[in-house]
PDB file of all heavy atoms in Angstrom:
ATOM      1  N   THR R  66      -3.391   5.217 -17.372  1.00 95.00           N
ATOM      2  CA  THR R  66      -2.997   6.621 -17.219  1.00 95.00           C
ATOM      3  C   THR R  66      -4.134   7.565 -17.499  1.00 95.00           C
ATOM      4  O   THR R  66      -4.274   8.560 -16.853  1.00 95.00           O
ATOM      5  CB  THR R  66      -1.776   6.884 -18.099  1.00 95.00           C
ATOM      6  OG1 THR R  66      -0.662   6.066 -17.653  1.00 95.00           O
ATOM      7  CG2 THR R  66      -1.313   8.302 -17.945  1.00 95.00           C
ATOM      8  N   ILE R  87       1.932  18.272   5.348  1.00 97.00           N
ATOM      9  CA  ILE R  87       2.312  17.391   4.296  1.00 97.00           C
ATOM     10  C   ILE R  87       1.212  16.556   3.736  1.00 97.00           C
ATOM     11  O   ILE R  87       0.520  16.007   4.492  1.00 97.00           O
ATOM     12  CB  ILE R  87       3.550  16.553   4.787  1.00 97.00           C
ATOM     13  CG1 ILE R  87       4.856  17.286   4.904  1.00 97.00           C
ATOM     14  CG2 ILE R  87       3.735  15.276   3.747  1.00 97.00           C
ATOM     15  CD1 ILE R  87       6.013  16.471   5.409  1.00 97.00           C
ATOM     16  N   ILE R 102       0.193   2.187 -16.929  1.00 94.00           N
ATOM     17  CA  ILE R 102      -0.500   1.689 -15.756  1.00 94.00           C
ATOM     18  C   ILE R 102       0.109   2.306 -14.519  1.00 94.00           C
ATOM     19  O   ILE R 102       1.313   2.239 -14.291  1.00 94.00           O
ATOM     20  CB  ILE R 102      -0.519   0.160 -15.616  1.00 94.00           C
ATOM     21  CG1 ILE R 102      -1.183  -0.398 -16.922  1.00 94.00           C
ATOM     22  CG2 ILE R 102      -1.202  -0.279 -14.341  1.00 94.00           C
ATOM     23  CD1 ILE R 102      -2.679  -0.215 -17.002  1.00 94.00           C
ATOM     24  N   ALA R 108       0.615  11.303 -11.785  1.00 98.00           N
ATOM     25  CA  ALA R 108       0.260  11.737 -10.440  1.00 98.00           C
ATOM     26  C   ALA R 108       1.010  12.965 -10.134  1.00 98.00           C
ATOM     27  O   ALA R 108       0.310  13.942  -9.584  1.00 98.00           O
ATOM     28  CB  ALA R 108       0.307  10.654  -9.470  1.00 98.00           C
ATOM     29  N   LEU R 217      19.726   4.471   2.357  1.00 96.00           N
ATOM     30  CA  LEU R 217      20.580   3.316   2.564  1.00 96.00           C
ATOM     31  C   LEU R 217      20.390   2.771   3.951  1.00 96.00           C
ATOM     32  O   LEU R 217      20.355   1.551   4.186  1.00 96.00           O
ATOM     33  CB  LEU R 217      22.047   3.615   2.302  1.00 96.00           C
ATOM     34  CG  LEU R 217      23.059   2.427   2.504  1.00 96.00           C
ATOM     35  CD1 LEU R 217      22.656   1.305   1.558  1.00 96.00           C
ATOM     36  CD2 LEU R 217      24.502   2.929   2.321  1.00 96.00           C
ATOM     37  N   ARG R 272      -3.776  -9.927  19.709  1.00 89.00           N
ATOM     38  CA  ARG R 272      -5.231  -9.900  19.839  1.00 89.00           C
ATOM     39  C   ARG R 272      -5.703 -11.300  20.308  1.00 89.00           C
ATOM     40  O   ARG R 272      -6.875 -11.471  20.755  1.00 89.00           O
ATOM     41  CB  ARG R 272      -5.936  -9.462  18.614  1.00 89.00           C
ATOM     42  CG  ARG R 272      -5.417  -8.237  17.976  1.00 89.00           C
ATOM     43  CD  ARG R 272      -5.890  -7.001  18.877  1.00 89.00           C
ATOM     44  NE  ARG R 272      -7.239  -6.814  18.815  1.00 89.00           N
ATOM     45  CZ  ARG R 272      -7.846  -5.776  19.461  1.00 89.00           C
ATOM     46  NH1 ARG R 272      -7.122  -5.023  20.235  1.00 89.00           N
ATOM     47  NH2 ARG R 272      -9.139  -5.606  19.451  1.00 89.00           N
ATOM     48  N   ASP R 276     -11.280 -18.962  16.434  1.00 94.00           N
ATOM     49  CA  ASP R 276     -11.558 -20.367  16.080  1.00 94.00           C
ATOM     50  C   ASP R 276     -11.483 -20.627  14.506  1.00 94.00           C
ATOM     51  O   ASP R 276     -10.971 -21.644  14.085  1.00 94.00           O
ATOM     52  CB  ASP R 276     -12.868 -20.846  16.591  1.00 94.00           C
ATOM     53  CG  ASP R 276     -12.919 -20.836  18.117  1.00 94.00           C
ATOM     54  OD1 ASP R 276     -11.878 -21.002  18.726  1.00 94.00           O
ATOM     55  OD2 ASP R 276     -13.982 -20.632  18.654  1.00 94.00           O
ATOM     56  N   GLU R 318     -21.474 -15.542 -11.279  1.00 89.00           N
ATOM     57  CA  GLU R 318     -22.410 -15.814 -10.088  1.00 89.00           C
ATOM     58  C   GLU R 318     -22.326 -17.263  -9.764  1.00 89.00           C
ATOM     59  O   GLU R 318     -22.392 -17.684  -8.560  1.00 89.00           O
ATOM     60  CB  GLU R 318     -23.719 -15.362 -10.466  1.00 89.00           C
ATOM     61  CG  GLU R 318     -24.678 -15.470  -9.245  1.00 89.00           C
ATOM     62  CD  GLU R 318     -26.045 -14.768  -9.498  1.00 89.00           C
ATOM     63  OE1 GLU R 318     -26.201 -14.102 -10.527  1.00 89.00           O
ATOM     64  OE2 GLU R 318     -26.954 -15.005  -8.710  1.00 89.00           O
ATOM     65  N   ILE R 331     -16.626 -25.753   5.046  1.00 97.00           N
ATOM     66  CA  ILE R 331     -15.351 -25.868   5.817  1.00 97.00           C
ATOM     67  C   ILE R 331     -15.563 -25.137   7.157  1.00 97.00           C
ATOM     68  O   ILE R 331     -15.052 -25.641   8.175  1.00 97.00           O
ATOM     69  CB  ILE R 331     -14.228 -25.214   4.997  1.00 97.00           C
ATOM     70  CG1 ILE R 331     -13.955 -25.972   3.678  1.00 97.00           C
ATOM     71  CG2 ILE R 331     -12.930 -25.061   5.809  1.00 97.00           C
ATOM     72  CD1 ILE R 331     -13.017 -25.235   2.708  1.00 97.00           C
ATOM     73  N   TYR R 405     -10.683  -3.770  -3.376  1.00 81.00           N
ATOM     74  CA  TYR R 405     -11.928  -4.128  -3.804  1.00 81.00           C
ATOM     75  C   TYR R 405     -12.775  -4.925  -2.744  1.00 81.00           C
ATOM     76  O   TYR R 405     -13.934  -4.707  -2.566  1.00 81.00           O
ATOM     77  CB  TYR R 405     -11.932  -4.878  -5.093  1.00 81.00           C
ATOM     78  CG  TYR R 405     -11.280  -4.083  -6.267  1.00 81.00           C
ATOM     79  CD1 TYR R 405     -10.064  -4.419  -6.801  1.00 81.00           C
ATOM     80  CD2 TYR R 405     -11.963  -2.941  -6.630  1.00 81.00           C
ATOM     81  CE1 TYR R 405      -9.549  -3.582  -7.916  1.00 81.00           C
ATOM     82  CE2 TYR R 405     -11.457  -2.079  -7.675  1.00 81.00           C
ATOM     83  CZ  TYR R 405     -10.270  -2.427  -8.228  1.00 81.00           C
ATOM     84  OH  TYR R 405      -9.719  -1.717  -9.250  1.00 81.00           O
TER      85      TYR R 405
END
Side-chain angles (χ1 to χ4, degrees):
T66 300
I87 287 177
I102 301 291
L217 178 62
R272 308 294 289 181
D276 295 331
E318 187 172 348
I331 294 167
Y405 294 118

